[in-house]
Amino acid sequence: MKRLKVSNNVIRRLPRYLRKLDELSAQGVTRVSSSELGKQLGLTPSQIRQDFSCFGEFGQQGYGYHVPSLRRQVAAILGMDRNYQAVLIGVGNIGHALIDNFCFSDWGFHLTAAFDVKPEIIGATFNKVPVLSMEELPKYLDEHQVDIAVLTVPKDAAVPVTQILTAHGVEAIWNFTNVELTEPNSSTIVENVHFSDSLLSLSYYVSERQDERAARAAREARRENSSISNS
Amino acid sequence: MKRLKVSNNVIRRLPRYLRKLDELSAQGVTRVSSSELGKQLGLTPSQIRQDFSCFGEFGQQGYGYHVPSLRRQVAAILGMDRNYQAVLIGVGNIGHALIDNFCFSDWGFHLTAAFDVKPEIIGATFNKVPVLSMEELPKYLDEHQVDIAVLTVPKDAAVPVTQILTAHGVEAIWNFTNVELTEPNSSTIVENVHFSDSLLSLSYYVSERQDERAARAAREARRENSSISNS
DNA sequence: TAGATTGTTAATCGATTAACAATC
DNA sequence: TAGATTGTTAATCGATTAACAATC
């Protein structure tokens, strides 16, 4: 597979393509053109063709794209068929929710174990995932292939746990703590899920709309006023 | 406050600025220059000054920025002092985790109520937030100011619940379902938290590194080989 | 064959970076 | 005052869009 100078923006669009292709599949659609896909995703046909062309030639002139095979290609690009092994650290509310509800296998991942410090849940099994003691973590990492760690520990534990993970060969972290783990000289791949960043963006957009509305109302009030004084 | 043609990229950086400023405050730092801030966030000083200049003049020549007042400005830009009212729909695992652990008030939000269909939790109160019946939702929305809805319902309920919300004046949704709610003609503001998109991006980066490593190994093996045949 | 639609090259647009006068 | 650092204008870079020959 081609894999050259792919921009971050392209990479962030790939999962959206995947989701849309799954949706089309579910509707029984087997064929789609870049212009139809663009319309449904709010992107231009050009952009969609450019994006795919980073990785190869998946379409056919005069026909478009075959939904199932394009889906397979996108899944392969994302690494969904590489059977990555994951562990989860910190079985609090969010950790527990992920174990129970997030279907790792749908995305090509296998969650093999969870770790926590609370004695009352160590030894338990949630959704077929065993909860082990944090003390066993280094040994576990040494003895098993672990490709990514899901980090759902409390704030203060984020950095020390990350040190254990990287010291024992984990190179990728899916970070749910609100702590910025990305260190300048580290080679660890960190993907952040910052709830608060997301909420604050939403807050910005809501505020922007409020302000626009207020500005419009003020303009209209002024116009109203002047038309009264003119009459 | 100025608010002109602000690009999406800028808006997404604002919460990061806020987080870094809070960190500096906690360390007792009261003064910071754009170059120091840039170094710590992996951005250029130019970009940081450009970003802030969208909203006003917050610094001082020869000095830099006063951390507490810049923090206040960024918070105001994000709308954190507008006291937005929120409700949460769907008290499953993720919804419950958010109610218990996500500190809405830290970000200027007030979570006033949660809604669910499960009789066994209706009437309960989690972390001071009452759980009401889904049937009460329309009436509640009519009688209270609700600025945003946190959507943590199962997949199938996402669209019908969204229709109730928009029909009763909710204009912004923080969407935790894996369903694309953004409709072309809708004016609702939707902010998505797509766990799977995030995980798949991570998966891409891990795959990319794997591939690079394999390519390097292959190159070295070839070189090794040729040097043997040359000796 | 004619119509449709791709992959790719060129043109445009927007975002980031650099430079610098203003000034604390 | 001299040094530091801003806010802003201009230059550069990269990403998106448009155009079109190739071809199913």
Side-chain angles (χ1 to χ4, degrees):
Chain A
M1 185 201 310
K2 246 199 308 190
R3 204 190 273 281
L4 285 165
K5 67 205 158 49
V6 179
S7 85
N8 200 43
N9 291 3
V10 175
I11 295 162
R12 298 283 156 184
R13 280 192 292 270
L14 292 173
R16 293 187 61 208
Y17 293 140
L18 186 90
R19 225 153 3 92
K20 179 53 76 179
L21 291 168
D22 280 338
E23 192 187 315
L24 291 172
S25 266
Q27 291 167 3
V29 177
T30 58
R31 202 202 117 187
V32 73
S33 67
S34 59
S35 78
E36 180 56 28
L37 209 49
K39 203 185 298 173
Q40 295 201 25
L41 287 165
L43 305 171
T44 63
S46 284
Q47 181 162 60
I48 286 171
R49 296 204 297 277
Q50 281 279 26
D51 283 359
F52 291 150
S53 78
C54 297
F55 306 101
E57 310 191 357
F58 306 140
Q60 196 172 322
Q61 279 104 328
Y63 174 87
Y65 300 89
H66 183 238
V67 173
S69 68
L70 182 58
R71 200 280 182 191
R72 259 195 308 280
Q73 298 281 6
V74 174
I77 293 165
L78 288 168
M80 287 171 65
D81 48 13
R82 297 188 182 209
N83 192 30
Y84 287 127
Q85 306 292 300
V87 297
L88 183 146
I89 324 289
V91 189
N93 252 308
I94 295 168
H96 201 151
L98 284 171
I99 295 173
D100 279 356
N101 290 108
F102 186 77
C103 201
F104 283 88
S105 60
D106 279 358
W107 317 106
F109 282 76
H110 182 41
L111 183 62
T112 58
F115 295 85
D116 203 294
V117 291
K118 295 187 287 294
E120 62 269 29
I121 58 167
I122 292 170
T125 296
F126 301 131
N127 196 17
K128 295 184 189 159
V129 178
V131 180
L132 310 179
S133 161
M134 270 301 285
E135 288 168 12
E136 299 177 66
L137 179 59
K139 188 159 173 282
Y140 188 95
L141 295 175
D142 292 342
E143 291 176 356
H144 298 79
Q145 169 67 23
V146 174
D147 301 294
I148 74 144
V150 184
L151 197 65
T152 48
V153 296
K155 227 175 168 169
D156 294 339
V159 171
V161 169
T162 300
Q163 277 162 358
I164 296 174
L165 291 168
T166 53
H168 292 266
V170 176
E171 294 189 306
I173 294 175
W174 197 20
N175 177 32
F176 283 78
T177 74
N178 204 27
V179 178
E180 197 97 37
L181 293 179
T182 332
E183 279 178 54
N185 37 1
S186 156
S187 72
T188 309
I189 302 168
V190 177
E191 168 72 22
N192 295 305
V193 181
H194 284 315
F195 289 176
S196 59
D197 286 22
S198 170
L199 180 61
L200 289 177
S201 301
L202 181 62
S203 181
Y204 178 90
Y205 291 115
V206 172
S207 303
E208 187 182 46
R209 175 174 292 186
Q210 260 190 6
D211 289 355
E212 276 164 11
R213 201 163 281 171
R216 198 170 322 122
R219 266 198 311 279
E220 268 160 34
R222 254 196 317 280
R223 195 144 39 102
E224 194 66 19
N225 234 318
S226 74
S227 76
I228 288 168
S229 57
N230 283 349
S231 67
Chain B
M1 188 201 310
K2 246 201 303 191
R3 204 189 272 281
L4 285 164
K5 67 207 156 51
V6 179
S7 85
N8 201 43
N9 291 3
V10 175
I11 295 161
R12 297 284 156 183
R13 280 193 291 269
L14 292 173
R16 293 188 61 207
Y17 293 139
L18 187 89
R19 225 150 7 90
K20 178 53 76 179
L21 291 168
D22 280 340
E23 192 188 316
L24 291 172
S25 266
Q27 291 166 4
V29 177
T30 57
R31 201 202 119 188
V32 73
S33 66
S34 58
S35 76
E36 180 55 31
L37 210 48
K39 204 185 297 172
Q40 295 201 25
L41 287 165
L43 305 170
T44 64
S46 283
Q47 181 162 58
I48 286 172
R49 295 204 298 276
Q50 281 279 25
D51 283 359
F52 291 150
S53 78
C54 296
F55 306 101
E57 311 191 358
F58 305 141
Q60 196 173 321
Q61 280 105 327
Y63 174 87
Y65 300 88
H66 183 240
V67 173
S69 68
L70 182 58
R71 200 279 181 193
R72 260 196 308 280
Q73 297 282 5
V74 174
I77 293 164
L78 288 168
M80 287 171 65
D81 47 13
R82 297 189 183 209
N83 193 29
Y84 287 127
Q85 306 293 299
V87 297
L88 182 147
I89 325 288
V91 189
N93 251 309
I94 295 169
H96 201 152
L98 285 172
I99 294 173
D100 280 356
N101 292 109
F102 186 78
C103 200
F104 283 89
S105 59
D106 279 359
W107 317 107
F109 282 77
H110 183 38
L111 183 62
T112 59
F115 295 84
D116 203 295
V117 292
K118 295 187 289 292
E120 63 270 28
I121 58 167
I122 292 170
T125 296
F126 301 130
N127 196 16
K128 295 183 187 158
V129 178
V131 180
L132 310 178
S133 160
M134 271 301 285
E135 288 169 12
E136 299 177 66
L137 180 59
K139 187 158 173 281
Y140 188 96
L141 295 175
D142 292 342
E143 292 175 355
H144 299 79
Q145 169 68 21
V146 174
D147 301 293
I148 74 144
V150 184
L151 197 64
T152 47
V153 296
K155 228 174 166 172
D156 294 339
V159 172
V161 169
T162 300
Q163 277 162 357
I164 297 173
L165 291 168
T166 54
H168 291 267
V170 176
E171 294 190 304
I173 295 175
W174 197 20
N175 177 32
F176 283 78
T177 74
N178 205 27
V179 177
E180 197 98 37
L181 292 178
T182 333
E183 278 177 55
N185 37 1
S186 155
S187 72
T188 310
I189 302 168
V190 177
E191 168 72 22
N192 296 304
V193 181
H194 284 315
F195 289 176
S196 60
D197 285 23
S198 171
L199 181 62
L200 290 177
S201 302
L202 182 61
S203 181
Y204 177 90
Y205 290 115
V206 172
S207 304
E208 187 182 46
R209 175 174 292 188
Q210 261 191 4
D211 288 355
E212 275 165 12
R213 201 163 280 170
R216 199 170 320 124
R219 265 199 311 278
E220 267 160 35
R222 253 197 316 279
R223 195 144 39 102
E224 194 65 21
N225 234 320
S226 74
S227 76
I228 286 166
S229 58
N230 283 349
S231 67

